[in-house]
Amino acid sequence: NAAEIVRGIFSMKIKGYSQDQIADFLNKEKVLTPAEYKKSIGLKYQCGFQGSSQTKWTAVTVSRILKNPIYIGTLIQGKRGTPNYKIKKMRVRDKSEWVVVEDNHPSIIDARIFSVVQNLLERDTRRSPYQDTVFPLAGILFCQDCKRSMQLRSVKRGERKYHYYVCSTYKNGKGCSSHSIEQSKLEGIVLRSIINQIHMIVEMDQLVQEMDTQTAGNLQVKGLDIKIAQKTSELDRLQEYRGKLYEALADDLIDTEEYNKMRLKYTEQIKDTEESILKLTSQRESVLSSRDIDRSWVMQFAKYQDITELSREAVVTLIDRISVYEDGKIKIDFNYRDEIARYQELLKQEVI
């Protein structure tokens, strides 16, 4: 089943396997490549990347699958074409020329999982030569000061070997400071934080479920109405400020350079505020059309309720990034922050 193969590829990536390892596994299991699969079901397979009769899985093939939004229901057309009718040679078009259709077909990969994988592909997730998978915190851990990744360092003292995470900038001798923290200590902190976060979210979800659907929907609409009103008031204020700039220029209170600079600033703020209002209005319409509350994100936390040790899968699913301060403090940014904030706002409004 092609869909199961794709799900397996995403699952292996989440668990910490590299594209090379995934390709090796698929070849070992004699899984058909996309080209061979299409041939096997009688489809003609043509691809701009194909230059030989290669039938083996490669890291490149795996990467293309991991980056392809078709698996979350998004269809992209017009990636390649001719500049005009006079030129017949095909070329890769700029992204702005692509035709993107979301929700075009049923997805086989959850959009949130797809997003997590895209983040992993952009980050440094090198693994130890002695490990089959990357360390649980690879690509997630950063120095709070220089914002670069933290790297694992081993120190031998007597017969014992100690493992520390240190700032990569410091380790490479390019400045910053060590921000050193013992691996076992850090992983213990992260595990406890994940457990606490799961408990909090599950408890909030139980309280939200106890509300009747009508009440929950009304509270969501009420909260969005308040935010829309606040943003509308902010928009009116910004437009008023921008309108008074010309008066200030005419009265020689500001010069032309200051006028242009301030007008540009207010125009950008007005644009951002208008976009926020449109987004909030869209959310309001969505709530009104469907009173059901989206709980799919809660399930991402709930499935790890029995976690007893830190796993790569749990870390990358639930955590966006971890920042380490020089004094040893840790800041953990969990995924689904907007969804959590909406739940908190919902419960707060019910109390009010």
Side-chain angles (χ1 to χ4, degrees), residues 283-348:
Q283 288 178 15
R284 186 182 190 279
E285 290 172 356
S286 178
V287 171
L288 287 172
S289 62
S290 174
R291 293 291 187 171
D292 294 331
I293 296 174
D294 177 22
R295 298 181 58 246
S296 60
W297 67 274
V298 176
M299 298 302 104
Q300 295 295 330
F301 284 90
K303 69 182 180 183
Y304 296 108
Q305 280 187 91
D306 299 323
I307 189 172
T308 56
E309 62 180 36
L310 205 62
S311 71
R312 175 67 175 174
E313 185 177 6
V315 169
V316 300
T317 301
L318 304 181
I319 295 175
D320 178 29
R321 66 186 288 134
I322 301 170
S323 300
V324 180
Y325 291 76
E326 175 57 30
D327 61 4
K329 283 197 305 182
I330 307 298
K331 179 188 175 188
I332 301 178
D333 292 323
F334 283 92
N335 287 324
Y336 310 107
R337 292 189 289 275
D338 290 344
E339 289 85 350
I340 293 169
R342 277 198 287 272
Y343 256 37
Q344 290 171 331
E345 186 67 25
L346 201 60
L347 294 170
K348 179 182 175 183

Side-chain angles (χ1 to χ4, degrees), residues 91-109:
R91 65 172 178 82
V92 177
R93 288 173 171 156
D94 187 82
K95 281 188 176 183
S96 62
E97 298 179 64
W98 295 358
V99 178
V100 180
V101 184
E102 296 181 354
D103 299 321
N104 179 76
H105 53 271
S107 65
I108 59 175
I109 297 296

Side-chain angles (χ1 to χ4, degrees), residues 56-320:
K56 295 283 188 182
W57 283 91
T58 65
V60 173
T61 310
V62 172
S63 290
R64 285 185 196 138
I65 288 175
L66 292 172
K67 293 176 181 178
N68 195 340
I70 196 169
Y71 302 116
I72 57 171
T74 299
L75 177 66
I76 300 179
Q77 295 179 310
K79 284 186 176 182
R80 294 169 60 82
T82 58
N84 53 61
Y85 72 92
K86 292 181 179 179
I87 301 175
K88 302 300 181 185
K89 187 177 180 182
M90 299 285 281
R91 65 172 178 82
V92 177
R93 288 173 171 156
D94 187 82
K95 281 188 176 183
S96 62
E97 298 179 64
W98 295 358
V99 178
V100 180
V101 184
E102 296 181 354
D103 299 321
N104 179 76
H105 53 271
S107 65
I108 59 175
I109 297 296
D110 183 90
R112 295 185 177 95
I113 296 300
F114 185 83
S115 178
V116 167
V117 168
Q118 303 319 297
N119 285 335
L120 291 178
L121 293 173
E122 293 175 1
R123 295 180 178 181
D124 177 10
T125 52
R126 288 172 292 178
R127 65 186 177 92
S128 163
Y130 310 107
Q131 296 264 128
D132 286 335
T133 59
V134 297
F135 291 110
L137 303 180
I140 302 293
L141 196 59
F142 297 89
C143 168
Q144 173 63 20
D145 291 319
C146 71
K147 312 302 180 186
R148 300 298 295 274
S149 63
M150 301 281 287
Q151 292 181 358
L152 202 59
R153 180 181 183 182
S154 299
V155 178
K156 195 169 184 180
R157 292 174 186 161
E159 297 299 315
R160 294 193 63 184
K161 203 170 188 181
Y162 298 88
H163 304 283
Y164 295 87
Y165 279 104
V166 296
C167 169
S168 59
T169 302
Y170 174 82
K171 186 180 179 183
N172 295 327
K174 296 181 179 179
C176 204
S177 55
S178 69
H179 292 67
S180 176
I181 185 166
E182 191 178 354
Q183 180 187 12
S184 59
K185 177 184 175 182
L186 175 61
E187 292 184 355
I189 292 171
V190 173
L191 176 61
R192 289 192 295 275
S193 297
I194 286 176
I195 291 171
N196 291 337
Q197 188 79 351
I198 291 171
H199 287 165
M200 179 194 76
I201 287 168
V202 169
E203 286 178 6
M204 284 199 305
D205 185 55
Q206 289 172 346
L207 291 172
V208 169
Q209 285 188 76
E210 288 172 7
M211 298 181 193
D212 63 84
T213 309
Q214 185 70 30
T215 300
N218 289 341
L219 287 171
Q220 279 186 294
V221 171
K222 180 183 174 184
L224 289 167
D225 283 340
I226 292 171
K227 289 180 180 178
I228 290 170
Q230 289 172 340
K231 286 293 180 182
T232 302
S233 177
E234 181 182 333
L235 179 62
D236 290 340
R237 189 174 66 254
L238 289 169
Q239 289 175 333
E240 182 183 354
Y241 288 160
R242 187 176 65 176
K244 288 182 176 180
L245 283 176
Y246 185 75
E247 295 177 20
L249 177 64
D251 294 337
D252 292 328
L253 297 175
I254 56 174
D255 58 30
T256 303
E257 184 180 349
E258 289 173 319
Y259 169 80
N260 290 331
K261 186 177 179 181
M262 293 173 71
R263 195 177 193 287
L264 178 62
K265 174 188 171 184
Y266 283 131
T267 299
E268 290 174 349
Q269 290 178 341
I270 286 169
K271 183 182 177 183
D272 290 342
T273 306
E274 287 174 338
E275 288 176 355
S276 296
I277 292 172
L278 285 173
K279 185 177 179 182
L280 290 168
T281 303
S282 175
Q283 288 178 15
R284 186 182 190 279
E285 290 172 356
S286 178
V287 171
L288 287 172
S289 62
S290 174
R291 293 291 187 171
D292 294 331
I293 296 174
D294 177 22
R295 298 181 58 246
S296 60
W297 67 274
V298 176
M299 298 302 104
Q300 295 295 330
F301 284 90
K303 69 182 180 183
Y304 296 108
Q305 280 187 91
D306 299 323
I307 189 172
T308 56
E309 62 180 36
L310 205 62
S311 71
R312 175 67 175 174
E313 185 177 6
V315 169
V316 300
T317 301
L318 304 181
I319 295 175
D320 178 29

Side-chain angles (χ1 to χ4, degrees), residues 3-15:
E4 289 304 316
I5 298 300
V6 171
R7 291 189 190 101
I9 289 172
F10 275 83
S11 177
M12 289 186 74
K13 185 60 186 176
I14 288 277
K15 288 176 180 175

